[in-house]
Amino acid sequence: MVKKLTQEAIELLKKLISKQSFSGEENETALLIMQWFSSHNIKFESDKHNVWAKNRYFNPSKKTILLNSHHDTVKPNKGYTRNPLSPDLEDGKLFGLGSNDAGGCLVSLLATFTYFYNREDLKYNFVIVASAEEENSGPNGLNSMLKIIPDIDFAIVGEPTLMNLAIAEKGLMVMNCEAKGTAGHAAHGIGDNAIYNSIEDINWFRTYEFPKISETLGKVKMTVTQINAGHQHNVIPATCNYVVDVRVTDAYSNQEVFEIIQSNVKSEVCPRSLRLNSSSIPKEHPIVQAGIKLGRETYGSPTLSDQAVLNCPSLKLGPGQSLRSHTADEFIYVNEIEEGVQLYIKILEEIV
């Protein structure tokens, strides 16, 4: 059964690659996922472009595991030498946009869910969500499903980890900052230069060390990534706007980091969002221990996923390699998908 499901999953991934599914435009891939459920006699529901299902013998008195991955993609970058929507198989590599991030994870989880769907003896319930709008952290993705699906006790989020156990993930907070001054004529040197006023704060962002260091994720990292000031060579600018990318560890909440920033800089700072917090799962958790038992390594992930919107313990785990995500001529090895299905099932069999 596992071998058959795996081959069906690979064929589904080829179909998913062939359909454009940029964030917010996932209608065609959603239909393919619905067809998967229908062909396996699985009852499903959908909301916008999210498709979800419960195991056949779902029991509200049992704890529930969420299996989640996304079917939206980023837009292909200009470095592609192949048709990004052509699922080409060469030398064991399946090429195509979204193959690695996160199509391989999604189809592996669909196969895993299908494997367990008809089991009556499970200790846990299963809910699977094939979600939309992960890549742009949009309003109609997994976050919108949390009020629709049953309460979740813990989650496996499918992202490429080479099937190692990402037990923590950094959160993200993007800060819009504005240093202020007074306009004046550059020839006279009269005015309060907002660019100069920004330098002290930018240097603080570059050098400040948050005192608490996460065991798995290390330090909070702040990086100034954009800056804009002035409109004319002979006018001292009254404002200097810049953007700071802040990667938050599980040692702090986004709100705590924002308050520390606000108390240390003179610039006006405004977070675009406080909702993309870091996430983690205890190393002692049964699902983590099951993975360790099977020889998988634990680590902390610097990249953001839909874990950020969950309020339960969550594990990032999936076939493929994170470094291939969003690259030109993206690919996943077929044997990574085969291993992914097998390991998902083996790890879950240890606890369910």
Side-chain angles (χ1 to χ4, degrees):
M1 180 183 182
V2 174
K3 186 175 182 180
K4 182 175 182 292
L5 283 172
T6 302
Q7 290 307 309
E8 290 176 354
I10 293 167
E11 291 305 310
L12 173 60
L13 179 54
K14 292 177 182 177
K15 293 176 183 177
L16 291 171
I17 290 169
S18 70
K19 302 296 184 183
Q20 181 174 298
S21 57
F22 305 147
S23 299
E25 304 174 20
E26 309 95 341
N27 53 305
E28 289 190 274
T29 48
L31 288 172
L32 288 172
I33 294 162
M34 293 178 196
Q35 289 170 14
W36 170 280
F37 287 135
S38 295
S39 67
H40 290 93
N41 297 313
I42 295 172
K43 293 181 180 179
F44 67 89
E45 297 183 49
S46 63
D47 185 80
K48 301 179 178 68
H49 296 149
N50 303 287
V51 188
W52 70 283
K54 300 184 293 187
N55 60 297
R56 182 176 180 183
Y57 296 102
F58 185 94
N59 184 341
S61 68
K62 295 180 181 179
K63 293 182 178 181
T64 299
I65 304 170
L66 171 66
L67 306 179
N68 163 250
S69 193
H70 63 94
H71 58 105
D72 64 316
T73 72
V74 296
K75 294 183 178 180
N77 64 54
K78 294 180 180 179
Y80 263 83
T81 65
R82 299 168 169 272
N83 178 354
L85 301 184
S86 180
D88 301 328
L89 186 59
E90 295 179 14
D91 300 323
K93 299 176 181 178
L94 179 56
F95 290 89
L97 183 64
S99 56
N100 182 77
D101 183 16
C105 301
L106 175 61
V107 299
S108 297
L109 284 172
L110 284 167
T112 300
F113 175 82
T114 304
Y115 175 84
F116 286 107
Y117 177 72
N118 287 310
R119 288 265 295 268
E120 295 186 59
D121 58 338
L122 298 173
K123 296 178 182 177
Y124 290 84
N125 298 311
F126 281 105
V127 169
I128 189 167
V129 178
S131 53
E133 297 193 12
E134 189 271 351
E135 294 291 4
N136 68 346
S137 299
N140 298 316
L142 180 62
N143 53 308
S144 70
M145 297 299 296
L146 299 181
K147 62 181 180 293
I148 296 173
I149 63 176
D151 291 338
I152 302 300
D153 291 277
F154 71 91
I156 295 176
V157 176
E159 289 284 336
T161 71
L162 290 173
M163 290 306 290
N164 286 312
L165 311 160
I167 60 173
E169 172 188 275
K170 283 188 175 181
L172 171 65
M173 183 168 58
V174 181
M175 307 289 301
N176 292 328
C177 306
E178 183 176 81
K180 294 190 174 181
T182 306
H185 198 299
H188 299 300
I190 298 173
D192 183 18
N193 195 320
I195 294 177
Y196 297 159
N197 294 341
S198 72
I199 291 173
E200 183 178 351
D201 287 345
I202 289 173
N203 190 55
W204 180 86
F205 281 113
R206 185 175 69 87
T207 59
Y208 182 76
E209 298 279 347
F210 285 83
K212 291 191 287 185
I213 298 176
S214 166
E215 183 179 344
T216 50
L217 295 170
K219 299 177 180 180
V220 174
K221 184 174 179 58
M222 299 188 292
T223 307
V224 178
T225 55
Q226 294 173 274
I227 188 166
N228 182 53
H231 62 277
Q232 193 169 317
H233 78 88
N234 58 353
V235 178
I236 293 171
T239 59
C240 177
N241 296 287
Y242 57 100
V243 175
V244 185
D245 179 292
V246 186
R247 301 290 167 155
V248 183
T249 72
D250 53 354
Y252 295 91
S253 69
N254 285 359
Q255 180 66 38
E256 288 172 326
V257 170
F258 169 59
E259 290 172 0
I260 291 170
I261 292 170
Q262 200 173 36
S263 65
N264 278 278
V265 299
K266 295 176 182 176
S267 300
E268 290 186 0
V269 291
C270 179
R272 296 180 184 177
S273 170
L274 292 171
R275 68 183 178 86
L276 300 176
N277 284 286
S278 60
S279 54
S280 63
I281 190 168
K283 195 171 182 178
E284 298 74 28
H285 195 284
I287 192 69
V288 178
Q289 289 299 308
I292 292 172
K293 182 179 177 181
L294 290 167
R296 314 318 294 179
E297 297 179 356
T298 63
Y299 73 103
S301 172
T303 58
L304 193 73
S305 75
D306 267 338
Q307 282 184 284
V309 304
L310 296 172
N311 54 14
C312 63
S314 56
L315 173 68
K316 185 191 289 185
L317 175 68
Q321 185 178 37
S322 181
L323 292 175
R324 296 184 213 133
S325 300
H326 304 182
T327 61
D329 299 335
E330 180 184 349
F331 71 88
I332 189 169
Y333 287 100
V334 170
N335 64 11
E336 289 176 334
I337 299 171
E338 293 167 349
E339 179 190 50
V341 177
Q342 291 172 4
L343 280 171
Y344 276 142
I345 291 172
K346 286 180 180 179
I347 289 171
L348 287 165
E349 285 279 19
E350 288 286 326
I351 67 167
V352 303

